[in-house]
């Protein structure tokens, strides 16, 4: 609106008003006191700032008109802008690192404590149930849990899970077979024959096959999930080491501190201007987003498995009862198993020690393999449960999606920007008119504020994209119960079957087949299995024979 006095003295007075307004702005530029205060608040020497505006022609980044900046100030403010543009990104990255480092530690501690608790529970239960028979063979179970722990920590590189489980059941069969047939002597070669045919004998029923499947799925899922949690902070840390390009530093300087040169120290950048600068500076980081999101989806899918069929807790918690059930199966089938062995491996020689001990007076030993009814289970590992841990980490994983592509929006918000036209657009206090670029390297070819060479992707970030892609393939395999994290000669089925089973329907036809008898290289006389219509072949008689053998095994140290 025209000042009313202009109608009276249009030529003279209006000229004076315009001159007065422009003179005020020029006077503000001539006085750089506000800039001196703001500059010193950044930790710089106030004396670097001229008392009044100077010719800005030597400036390399900011507008070269009348200015409160010098070349020396511009260089120092460029370094400061590098720090300030990196600070909010570093804070967000550090928070993400910390979040998943904590979750990794929680899960890892939980799984390790479950393993330890399972071992302690089995030891306590077996000492009560089997007494000295267990104590004398405790190293077998100790080695079993040590192997499981090594597999959890190092995977197939340290332990072939199938082979380890096969060896465990074969060793357990050998020890029990000797105890229930204490009246015979068995050579090492004979026991090798027994061990080779553990699968066909099926002395432990279906427990080994089921336990192998459950352990394989649970351990592969647990250790792969923990490795995924460990990868996340590592990726974030490596990406955070990527330095800003010189063109990014120039753009940041222009956005954050060029308003100082015009004396507008409180002026903040327009939001779209800030977005273009950040999308140019973080173009390589944004390219992580696709594989990052694929990785997070795979982590979420595997988390669902951990809550369901691949639940590590539900497998490890009752493992003592499952192994005890297998031992009970062996006890109940001891006569049939022994007869199959004698037919397949030959009749063993009677034990001289057993014959000399037969006339000993009955000692009153009443020990036997007994079923176990669990009392209170051990305190839950880490004071929590797998369900609680999984629910918590799923929320964090979902929140971390699109982390890299949304960094510019996250940074260019709140007090860091000014709304509407009251903002710095790179040259003046006015609306920002340029088009906002998309995310990623390829979209920066026309970025008006940051020069980005789209032909030279960052090597560090490309390596992290590859790492995420590889881990995603491991997670997807673990979702199906397969461990492909180590190259080996096994196929996707997980190698040889262990325990009692083969999952193929064709295996059912072989369950009662007798294995071929090895050539007898010793005495040509063959000891036939004598079957008489007496109590010896009845279930009570077989139990008595087993108990007698077990009693003599326990008494052996006292008979020497």
């Amino acid at each position: 609106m025209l000042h009313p006095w202009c109608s009276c003295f249009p030529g003279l007075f209006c000229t004076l008003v315009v001159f007065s307004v422009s003179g005020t702005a020029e006077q503000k530029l001539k006085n750089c006191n506000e800039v001196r205060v703001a500059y010193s608040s950044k930790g710089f020497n106030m004396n670097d700032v001229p008392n009044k505006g100077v010719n800005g022609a030597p400036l390399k980044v900011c507008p070269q008109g009348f200015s409160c900046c010098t070349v020396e100030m511009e260089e120092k403010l460029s370094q400061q802008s590098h720090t300030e543009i990196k600070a909010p990104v570093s804070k967000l990255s550090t928070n993400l690192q910390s979040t998943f480092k904590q979750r990794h530690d929680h899960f890892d501690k939980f799984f390790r404590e479950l393993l330890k608790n399972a071992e302690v529970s089995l030891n306590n239960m077996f000492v009560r149930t089997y007494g000295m028979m267990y104590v004398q063979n405790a190293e077998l179970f100790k080695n079993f849990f040590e192997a499981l722990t090594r597999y959890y920590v190092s995977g197939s590189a340290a332990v072939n899970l199938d082979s380890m489980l096969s060896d465990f059941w074969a060793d357990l069969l050998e020890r029990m077979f000797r105890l229930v047939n204490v009246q015979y002597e068995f050579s090492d070669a004979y026991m090798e024959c027994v061990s080779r045919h553990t699968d066909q004998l099926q002395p432990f029923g279906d427990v080994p096959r089921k336990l192998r499947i459950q352990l394989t799925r649970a351990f592969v899922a647990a250790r792969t999930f923990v490795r995924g949690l460990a990868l996340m902070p590592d990726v974030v840390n490596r990406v955070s080491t990527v330095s800003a390009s010189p063109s990014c530093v120039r753009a940041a300087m222009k956005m954050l501190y060029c308003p100082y040169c015009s004396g507008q120290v409180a002026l903040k950048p327009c939001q779209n201007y800030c977005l273009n600068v950040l999308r140019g500076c973080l173009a390589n980081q944004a390219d992580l987003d696709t594989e990052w999101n694929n990785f997070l989806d795979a982590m979420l899918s595997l988390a669902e498995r951990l809550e369901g069929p691949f639940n590590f807790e539900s497998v490890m918690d009752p493992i003592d009862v499952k192994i005890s059930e297998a031992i009970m199966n062996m006890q109940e089938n001891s006569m049939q198993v022994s007869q199959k062995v004698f037919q397949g491996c030959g009749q063993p020689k009677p034990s001289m020690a057993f014959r000399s001990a037969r006339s000993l007076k009955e000692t009153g030993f009443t020990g036997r393999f007994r079923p176990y009814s669990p009392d209170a289970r051990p305190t839950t590992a880490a004071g929590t449960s797998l369900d609680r841990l999984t629910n918590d980490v799923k929320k964090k994983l979902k929140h971390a999606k699109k982390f890299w592509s949304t960094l510019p929006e996250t940074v260019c918000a709140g007090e860091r920007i000014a709304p509407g036209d009251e903002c710095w657009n790179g040259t003046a206090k006015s609306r920002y008119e340029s088009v906002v670029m998309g995310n990623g390297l390829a979209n920066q070819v026309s970025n008006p504020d940051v020069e980005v060479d789209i032909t030279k992707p960052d090597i560090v970030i490309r390596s992290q994209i590859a790492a995420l892609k590889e881990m995603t393939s491991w997670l997807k395999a673990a979702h199906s119960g397969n461990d492909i994290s180590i190259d080996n000669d096994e196929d996707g089925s997980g190698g040889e079957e262990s325990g009692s089973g083969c999952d193929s329907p064709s295996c059912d036809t072989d369950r009662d087949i007798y294995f071929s008898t090895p050539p007898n290289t010793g005495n040509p006389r063959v000891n036939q299995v004598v079957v008489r219509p007496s109590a010896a072949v009845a279930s009570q008689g077989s139990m008595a024979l087993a108990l007698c053998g077990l009693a003599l095994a326990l008494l052996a140290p006292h008979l020497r």
Side-chain angles (χ1 to χ4, degrees):
M1 180 178 178
L2 189 65
H3 196 283
W5 285 3
C6 287
S7 58
C8 301
F9 308 98
L12 175 62
F13 188 79
C14 291
T15 301
L16 290 173
V17 171
V18 173
F19 178 78
S20 175
V21 172
S22 61
T24 302
E26 186 176 329
Q27 184 66 29
K28 189 174 182 180
L29 274 178
K30 286 182 178 180
N31 183 349
C32 297
N33 288 337
E34 289 185 11
V35 179
R36 289 166 65 86
V37 173
Y39 185 77
S40 64
S41 71
K42 301 295 179 181
F44 300 121
N45 190 337
M46 182 185 294
N47 294 327
D48 292 344
V49 185
N51 291 320
K52 56 184 180 179
V54 295
N55 184 1
L59 298 179
K60 299 177 181 178
V61 178
C62 296
Q64 297 179 335
F66 205 61
S67 178
C68 283
C69 292
T70 64
V71 173
E72 182 182 6
M73 286 177 61
E74 197 176 48
E75 290 175 355
K76 291 182 178 180
L77 289 173
S78 289
Q79 296 172 6
Q80 181 68 18
S81 65
H82 185 193
T83 301
E84 292 192 13
I85 201 75
K86 188 175 180 180
V89 176
S90 295
K91 183 178 180 181
L92 292 166
S93 299
T94 300
N95 289 342
L96 189 66
Q97 277 183 271
S98 177
T99 295
F100 288 100
K101 176 66 168 62
Q102 289 176 0
R103 269 62 189 180
H104 167 268
D105 291 347
H106 290 165
F107 271 89
D108 186 49
K109 180 182 179 182
F110 179 78
F111 289 140
R112 288 174 186 267
E113 287 190 7
L114 275 179
L115 276 165
K116 190 63 180 176
N117 278 2
E119 182 178 5
V120 170
S121 177
L122 181 141
N123 182 74
N124 293 340
M125 186 260 269
F126 277 30
V127 166
R128 293 195 303 271
T129 306
Y130 305 126
M132 286 302 297
M133 282 186 293
Y134 165 72
V135 173
Q136 293 170 351
N137 296 278
E139 83 280 358
L140 171 64
F141 300 93
K142 182 175 183 291
N143 294 338
F144 172 73
F145 282 101
E146 286 179 349
L148 287 179
T149 301
R150 287 200 310 275
Y151 179 78
Y152 169 73
V153 173
S154 303
S156 301
V159 176
N160 183 308
L161 194 57
D162 271 1
S163 297
M164 184 277 287
L165 291 172
S166 293
D167 292 344
F168 168 75
W169 293 114
D171 198 353
L172 183 59
L173 171 61
E174 180 180 332
R175 292 167 188 252
M176 290 191 65
F177 187 78
R178 288 182 185 275
L179 288 175
V180 299
N181 291 286
V182 72
Q183 69 272 33
Y184 296 111
E185 288 183 356
F186 299 103
S187 65
D188 291 342
Y190 193 97
M191 294 313 300
E192 286 181 9
C193 176
V194 176
S195 297
R196 282 198 305 270
H197 299 91
T198 304
D199 287 357
Q200 291 165 284
L201 291 169
Q202 294 189 56
F204 303 110
D206 206 30
V207 173
R209 185 188 69 84
K210 290 181 178 178
L211 193 58
R212 174 184 62 80
I213 294 172
Q214 292 169 349
L215 284 173
T216 300
R217 288 174 174 175
F219 270 78
V220 170
R223 70 180 305 272
T224 307
F225 191 78
V226 168
R227 291 179 74 183
L229 288 175
L231 178 66
M232 294 182 71
D234 185 60
V235 167
V236 176
N237 179 59
R238 292 176 186 273
V239 172
S240 67
T241 65
V242 176
S243 299
S245 66
S247 62
C248 170
V249 175
R250 285 172 56 88
M253 162 64 193
K254 185 177 181 181
M255 179 177 74
L256 296 174
Y257 289 114
C258 281
Y260 278 38
C261 300
S262 60
Q264 304 176 91
V265 295
L267 188 59
K268 296 177 181 179
C270 304
Q271 184 178 35
N272 285 350
Y273 175 37
C274 179
L275 286 174
N276 269 346
V277 171
L278 266 293
R279 287 183 177 178
C281 288
L282 300 175
N284 280 285
Q285 286 85 336
D287 282 348
L288 273 166
D289 226 40
T290 298
E291 285 306 325
W292 176 262
N293 292 335
N294 290 340
F295 162 78
L296 292 177
D297 286 337
M299 286 287 287
L300 286 165
S301 294
L302 190 56
E304 297 287 346
R305 288 290 207 189
L306 284 174
E307 291 178 314
F310 297 179
N311 191 307
F312 191 89
E313 188 173 17
S314 66
V315 173
M316 292 308 301
D317 194 42
I319 197 170
D320 49 4
V321 178
K322 293 176 182 178
I323 294 176
S324 182
E325 179 188 344
I327 292 174
M328 287 295 298
N329 289 336
M330 172 61 187
Q331 175 197 343
E332 294 170 0
N333 299 316
S334 60
M335 178 60 75
Q336 295 93 317
V337 170
S338 296
Q339 288 178 344
K340 285 185 179 183
V341 170
F342 296 160
Q343 291 184 31
C345 294
Q347 185 69 23
K349 295 179 181 180
S351 170
M352 298 304 295
F354 175 79
R355 288 181 176 180
S356 63
R358 289 179 64 182
S359 61
L360 290 178
K361 189 175 180 179
E362 195 68 25
T363 62
F365 171 73
T366 58
R368 65 179 292 268
F369 295 123
R370 298 190 300 274
Y372 175 67
S373 298
D375 299 322
R377 306 300 303 172
T379 303
T380 306
T384 185
S385 71
L386 186 57
D387 287 342
R388 283 198 291 272
L389 286 174
T390 306
N391 284 333
D392 170 69
V393 80
K394 281 164 62 178
K395 294 176 184 177
K396 304 299 182 184
L397 289 168
K398 291 175 182 177
H399 185 70
K401 294 189 76 172
K402 297 185 178 180
F403 173 79
W404 304 104
S405 63
T406 58
L407 274 177
E409 284 84 354
T410 306
V411 174
C412 296
E415 295 181 355
R416 296 191 185 95
I417 54 115
D421 297 341
E422 300 294 313
C423 57
W424 174 252
N425 67 5
T427 56
K429 182 180 180 180
S430 182
R431 178 185 296 273
Y432 182 76
E433 301 291 350
S434 298
V435 175
V436 178
M437 299 293 103
N439 287 301
L441 196 62
N443 286 320
Q444 306 312 310
V445 64
S446 300
N447 192 309
D449 301 296
V450 187
E451 293 181 10
V452 181
D453 187 350
I454 65 171
T455 65
K456 294 181 179 178
D458 185 85
I459 296 175
V460 172
I461 290 177
R462 296 296 141 174
S463 69
Q464 295 314 295
I465 291 174
L468 288 168
K469 187 176 295 186
E470 181 179 44
M471 179 56 75
T472 300
S473 68
W474 294 351
L475 290 164
K476 288 180 177 179
H479 186 270
S480 301
N482 299 317
D483 183 1
I484 63 168
S485 60
I486 300 295
D487 291 333
N488 50 44
D489 295 331
E490 298 175 359
D491 58 21
S493 63
E496 297 180 357
E497 301 291 339
S498 62
S500 63
C502 167
D503 296 327
S504 169
S506 64
C507 299
D508 294 336
T509 60
D510 298 332
R511 290 189 174 179
D512 293 324
I513 198 167
Y514 293 144
F515 40 87
S516 59
T517 304
N520 190 347
T521 57
N523 193 324
R525 183 175 63 86
V526 177
N527 295 321
Q528 298 293 329
V529 178
V530 180
V531 181
R532 296 186 180 92
S534 66
V537 296
S539 61
Q540 292 181 349
S542 65
M543 182 67 72
L545 181 60
L547 294 178
C548 179
L550 294 173
L552 287 171
L554 292 175
L555 290 172
H558 304 288
L559 298 176
R560 293 173 183 167

